[in-house]
């Protein structure tokens, strides 16, 4: 199990990303638009830099829903690899069986 503080930090980042998502998207489109003037694009980039660091979606980390493990997480299930294995052996994940050939 991951430390509770690390899981709480991720939740805090999720809230910040959701809070600044609209503003981030607007500034990002302006900064990447080649039709805008250089001054407008530079102003958008500076405004992006003024946003809180944890408001960037790239700082989010996928974590296991059960354990909070940050690595080895499958997006399809939202679980860490060892939890997928355990639940698959129990038969708790529909359609997933142990491979045999």
């Amino acid at each position: 199990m991951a430390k509770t503080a690390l899981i709480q930090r991720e939740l805090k980042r999720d809230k910040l990303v959701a809070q600044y998502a609209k503003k981030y998207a607007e500034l990002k489109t302006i900064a990447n638009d080649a039709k805008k003037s250089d001054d407008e694009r530079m102003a958008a980039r500076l405004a992006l830099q003024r946003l809180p660091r944890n408001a960037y979606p790239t700082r989010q980390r996928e974590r296991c829903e059960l354990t909070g493990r940050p690595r080895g997480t499958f997006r399809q299930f939202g679980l860490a690899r060892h939890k997928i294995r355990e639940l698959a052996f129990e038969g708790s994940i529909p359609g997933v069986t142990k491979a045999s050939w």
Side-chain angles (χ1 to χ4, degrees):
M1 186 87 178
K3 288 185 178 180
T4 310
L6 298 178
I7 295 171
Q8 292 302 318
R9 186 187 303 164
E10 271 314 307
L11 294 176
K12 184 179 173 183
R13 282 183 184 149
D14 291 342
K15 288 179 189 174
L16 265 177
V17 167
Q19 180 181 347
Y20 286 97
K22 186 177 178 184
K23 188 172 186 178
Y24 179 84
E26 290 172 0
L27 291 172
K28 200 73 167 156
T29 54
I30 292 170
N32 291 333
D33 189 5
K35 295 178 183 177
K36 300 278 184 183
S37 70
D38 288 340
D39 292 334
E40 288 176 322
R41 293 171 67 191
M42 183 59 88
R45 286 192 193 105
L46 291 174
L48 271 172
Q49 289 178 359
R50 276 188 243 111
L51 291 179
R53 207 176 251 184
N54 285 333
Y56 297 119
T58 55
R59 289 183 61 100
Q60 288 179 309
R61 186 79 188 234
E62 292 292 323
R63 288 186 173 268
C64 176
E65 292 292 325
L66 299 177
T67 62
R69 180 181 166 86
R71 296 177 185 241
T73 305
F74 285 71
R75 287 183 186 163
Q76 183 178 3
F77 301 107
L79 300 172
R81 55 187 169 77
H82 66 280
K83 283 296 175 185
I84 290 175
R85 187 171 192 267
E86 286 176 13
L87 294 174
F89 285 161
E90 292 173 6
S92 300
I93 304 175
V96 178
T97 56
K98 184 175 185 293
S100 60
W101 60 90

